[in-house]
Amino acid sequence: MADLVLATDDAGGPEIFASLQGEGPSVGTPVAFIRLSRCNLACTWCDTAYTWRFEGDNRPHRNGTTFERKANQVTLSPEKAAAKIAALGQKRLVITGGEPLMQCGPLADMLAILPDIEVEIETNGTTRANAHVDIRVDQYNVSPKLAHSGNDVELALIPERLDFYASDPRAFFKFVIAEPEDVDEVLDLQRRHMIRPDRVFLMAEGITSEALRTRQKWLSDLCLRHGFRFSDRLHIHLYGDERGT
Ligand code: SF4
């Protein structure tokens, strides 16, 4: 049985914690979180760059920081990860990253030990779960990355993957918006992949309450105009941009 590769918390332990879900359709719900390390994309504004931008990775990131791999990754067996999650006593589990679907084998082993927990997966939408993980998923939070993320479009927006998630009633789409023009790209994707507007969330980019509130003023109007849903980033207001929250 392969181990999971997790991000670390501030104390250097695996980033498994209880908190309120801060984004998307389940915002405000008390959940357990597990944050897996590694990502197949490299967003310039990524707020969890410690999951992928290790020393020697020169892909652009707005603050230029690189992270020591040894201090920011920890391996854990599926059994130990499941025990830590169970000890948090939550009904629902959010599996996030990084890109968590890069580790479906050990994830399936972990979920097999947690047969009753509800499962929400946060993915960038470029990959799919294997059958053993997929059968356990109650909700996908799919966050395709727009041009302002700095990723090559061929890597970030894979048409057959977007079609797959658009046709899955468990999937919600959450787009990070930095400028009003970004919503034109969302509208184009929504039309091309026939995504129901009530399954689309627009979420302001920002890692401070002030930055979020500034962008949310115009973003709320755009949600109303296009029939999209609005997502806050509750954890930023409650705890700031901190690990383990
Ligand atoms: S897909 Fe998510 S985890 Fe990966 S670089 Fe982008 S924001 Fe960060």
Side-chain angles (χ1 to χ4, degrees), residues 208-210 212-213 216 232-240:
T208 64
S209 284
E210 194 186 5
L212 290 173
R213 291 296 184 229
Q216 286 171 348
D232 201 356
R233 304 194 75 205
L234 180 64
H235 53 300
I236 296 291
H237 303 304
L238 291 176
Y239 313 112

Side-chain angles (χ1 to χ4, degrees), residues 15-151:
E15 202 177 350
I16 296 175
F17 58 97
S19 190
L20 302 180
Q21 169 60 293
E23 302 175 356
S26 315
V27 68
T29 306
V31 294
F33 276 93
I34 179 170
R35 185 180 306 283
L36 300 190
S37 189
R38 303 204 298 242
C39 188
N40 58 335
L41 296 182
C43 303
T44 58
W45 38 257
C46 178
D47 61 358
T48 55
Y50 60 93
T51 64
W52 58 269
R53 201 168 189 274
F54 302 117
E55 289 162 328
D57 188 337
N58 294 318
R59 289 175 293 175
H61 188 267
R62 70 175 165 200
N63 61 22
T65 309
T66 52
F67 296 85
E68 191 196 354
R69 187 183 289 271
K70 213 172 146 199
N72 288 279
Q73 276 189 338
V74 61
T75 55
L76 206 59
S77 69
E79 292 92 339
K80 285 187 178 157
K84 281 186 177 292
I85 290 162
L88 296 172
Q90 301 298 326
K91 276 172 45 186
R92 193 170 181 92
L93 171 66
V94 177
I95 302 173
T96 189
E99 174 46 63
L101 294 180
M102 293 171 72
Q103 301 188 52
C104 281
L107 266 184
D109 294 337
M110 182 191 82
L111 290 173
I113 309 166
L114 297 165
D116 299 320
I117 204 159
E118 297 169 8
V119 176
E120 188 170 326
I121 289 194
E122 305 200 312
T123 174
N124 59 31
T126 60
T127 185
R128 289 174 53 167
N130 68 18
H132 295 112
V133 170
D134 182 67
I135 200 165
R136 290 296 313 279
V137 175
D138 295 284
Q139 182 177 305
Y140 285 107
N141 302 329
V142 184
S143 186
K145 297 304 184 270
L146 304 178
H148 68 86
S149 70
N151 292 289

